Amino acid sequence: MTRNFDVVVLGAGIVGVCVALHLQMRGRHTALLDRSQPGMGTSFGNAGLIQNEAVMPYLFPRSIADVLRYARNRSIDAAYQPSALPGLAAPFYRYWRNSHPDRALAIARYRAPLFDRCIADHRELAEAAGAMDLMRAGGWSKIFRSQARLDSAIAEAELEAQQLGIPFVAMDAAAVADHEPDLARDLVGGIHWPGPLSVPDPYALTKAYVDLFERNGGSVLQGDARSLTCDSGWRLVTDAGPMAAADVVVALGPWSPVVTQILGYSAPFFVKRGYHRHFAPGEGRLGRPILDAENGYILAPMRQGIRLTTGAEFAHRDAPPHPVQIARALPKARHLFPKLGEPVDPKAWMGSRPCLPDMLPVIGPAPGQRRAWFAFGHAHHGLTLGPTTGKILADMIEGKELEIDPVPFRADRFG
């Protein structure tokens, strides 16, 4: 027998879960469908930051020196698999154009309304889910060994404070030592952003939101989103049998193109793969996530241990893992945090970030389709923007007046 719903959300990562929750809060009978358990994809492996300061996007390098450094393919913060480069040429060209300072500032201003409300939107769901213990105040920091690099970063932070209103604290070596006493003593200083929250177990937070959804009557189903068809409504095949829904939301993160292509939609989509591995903290203590700005990795305190996360790997989404960046980062991390212990994971974890070259997500109706909606392309900030995206899209589906301008996030902006 076919199970009928008002809405089915495809994808049970943090974005899809939050979309489903907000639709449910508005009285919609909602199902959440994924091919595996909720929260086990990209949402599982991030650095655990809810970043209200991350208004300025990560930009494509524009200096010849940086491009040549990455071309050597020996970095921790960025690596690539040569077989992926032909398919990246077109989106990279757009990404490079959008990274021009003037264009990047305009994009940051489009992003600002999302990031401004991300913490309040997370707290609303976390309170309802009984998960406030997973929200840690204290922000995060970048640290530096080079005075020139520190001075340049402080100048950038000052400019962002002036243009975008993002508060920060510049730290000298003594302040860093007071801030994180178990770090190495060869640091010249750092920058601290006090506003963001850190999450010591991102999977547990997603799971808490899923549990809230189920407690309130939501259905979590397993199935293949590629079975989506339209016949006087949307239909899917699940492990529990057929289902139907009046509306469908595609929130599949890096797998979104698998379904959007079925719907006749194409965008200059690409992925940034990332890796992490956990290490015992030894006798040391790390109070908050720390970015080694000159080497391009993060150390973040988690329930599982100290999580070492890498930058971006540009590769085919489904290519076999190649965790060379973890191997490159580990000696640097042991120098930075000398009390770092032995690994507690048998191997490195890998996930893929869903990216678009204008550094903005897609949130809104699917072009050319009736009662189909998109919520994907959040790149590094799915955890940060999940609840905010859910609230915005639920308001769109309900036909309510929006608190933000939806135009920068429309799906048809790529032509």
Side-chain angles (χ1 to χ4, degrees):
M1 183 175 69
T2 300
R3 299 178 65 183
N4 292 289
F5 297 89
D6 296 332
V7 189
V8 58
V9 179
L10 307 181
I14 187 67
V15 173
V17 168
C18 293
V19 170
L21 260 176
H22 275 288
L23 286 165
Q24 182 186 66
M25 290 163 65
R26 287 156 175 77
R28 294 292 188 106
H29 182 36
T30 306
L32 187 61
L33 181 137
D34 204 299
R35 63 181 180 179
S36 60
Q37 295 299 316
M40 294 302 292
T42 304
S43 299
F44 182 84
N46 50 66
L49 283 167
I50 301 172
Q51 291 186 259
N52 63 341
E53 97 297 343
V55 177
M56 182 61 72
Y58 295 110
L59 303 179
F60 196 92
R62 297 186 68 83
S63 77
I64 296 298
D66 282 340
V67 171
L68 291 176
R69 179 170 70 87
Y70 291 127
R72 288 194 289 270
N73 207 18
R74 297 174 184 171
S75 301
I76 297 169
D77 54 340
Y80 61 88
Q81 293 190 18
S83 61
L85 293 182
L88 290 169
F92 269 20
Y93 175 66
R94 291 191 181 200
Y95 189 6
W96 175 80
R97 289 189 63 187
N98 285 321
S99 296
H100 183 279
D102 292 341
R103 179 61 183 153
L105 181 59
I107 289 169
R109 287 179 171 143
Y110 295 148
R111 289 159 56 102
L114 303 182
F115 287 85
D116 287 349
R117 54 190 282 185
C118 66
I119 288 179
D121 289 343
H122 255 294
R123 283 182 168 148
E124 177 187 2
L125 295 187
E127 287 176 3
M132 286 300 292
D133 62 315
L134 292 169
M135 302 282 180
R136 292 180 177 173
W140 70 285
S141 302
K142 283 184 182 180
I143 53 88
F144 295 83
R145 294 176 182 81
S146 158
Q147 189 64 49
R149 292 285 297 273
L150 174 61
D151 292 344
S152 176
I154 290 174
E156 285 184 18
E158 289 174 340
L159 186 61
E160 290 180 15
Q162 294 167 8
Q163 295 175 329
L164 302 168
I166 299 168
F168 74 99
V169 178
M171 301 185 293
D172 61 15
V176 171
D178 182 63
H179 195 66
E180 294 288 350
D182 287 329
L183 295 184
R185 289 292 187 258
D186 61 348
L187 305 172
V188 300
I191 299 174
H192 178 59
W193 284 273
L197 302 178
S198 61
V199 178
D201 191 336
Y203 169 71
L205 183 63
T206 304
K207 184 64 166 59
Y209 291 170
V210 172
D211 291 346
L212 173 64
F213 176 69
E214 291 189 292
R215 284 198 303 272
N216 291 338
S219 296
V220 178
L221 305 172
Q222 286 189 285
D224 190 338
R226 292 174 296 184
S227 68
L228 181 70
T229 59
C230 187
D231 177 16
S232 66
W234 299 101
R235 298 183 180 276
L236 287 145
V237 178
T238 79
D239 291 357
M243 67 164 294
D247 289 86
V248 63
V249 178
V250 180
L252 286 160
W255 293 275
S256 295
V258 172
V259 174
T260 62
Q261 289 170 6
I262 294 173
L263 301 178
Y265 175 80
S266 180
F269 199 91
F270 65 101
V271 300
K272 297 180 184 178
R273 304 203 310 181
Y275 298 83
H276 81 228
R277 199 171 187 189
H278 294 104
F279 296 81
E283 298 178 357
R285 180 184 178 278
L286 195 64
R288 58 195 52 79
I290 299 293
L291 169 63
D292 183 342
E294 290 162 275
N295 289 302
Y297 65 88
I298 290 177
L299 290 177
M302 296 281 175
R303 286 177 170 177
Q304 303 96 320
I306 302 296
R307 180 175 288 184
L308 169 62
T309 75
T310 66
E313 180 196 37
F314 297 98
H316 295 295
R317 183 194 60 209
D318 301 324
H322 186 58
V324 63
Q325 289 160 286
I326 290 282
R328 293 170 183 166
L330 185 54
K332 306 286 187 182
R334 291 198 184 281
H335 177 83
L336 174 64
F337 188 66
K339 296 180 180 179
L340 190 67
E342 294 304 308
V344 297
D345 302 326
K347 61 180 181 179
W349 175 91
M350 184 195 77
S352 298
R353 306 177 184 100
C355 301
L356 291 161
D358 61 1
M359 297 158 279
L360 297 169
V362 168
I363 307 171
Q369 298 290 337
R370 183 172 176 272
R371 307 189 76 165
W373 309 85
F374 291 161
F376 53 77
H378 294 77
H380 297 259
H381 298 114
L383 176 63
T384 293
L385 297 178
T388 301
T389 298
K391 184 175 285 189
I392 292 167
L393 193 63
D395 284 345
M396 286 183 177
I397 293 173
E398 288 287 286
K400 293 186 176 181
E401 184 176 350
L402 301 180
E403 297 178 14
I404 69 157
D405 178 6
V407 171
F409 312 108
R410 69 191 190 280
D412 62 0
R413 66 184 189 261
F414 301 107

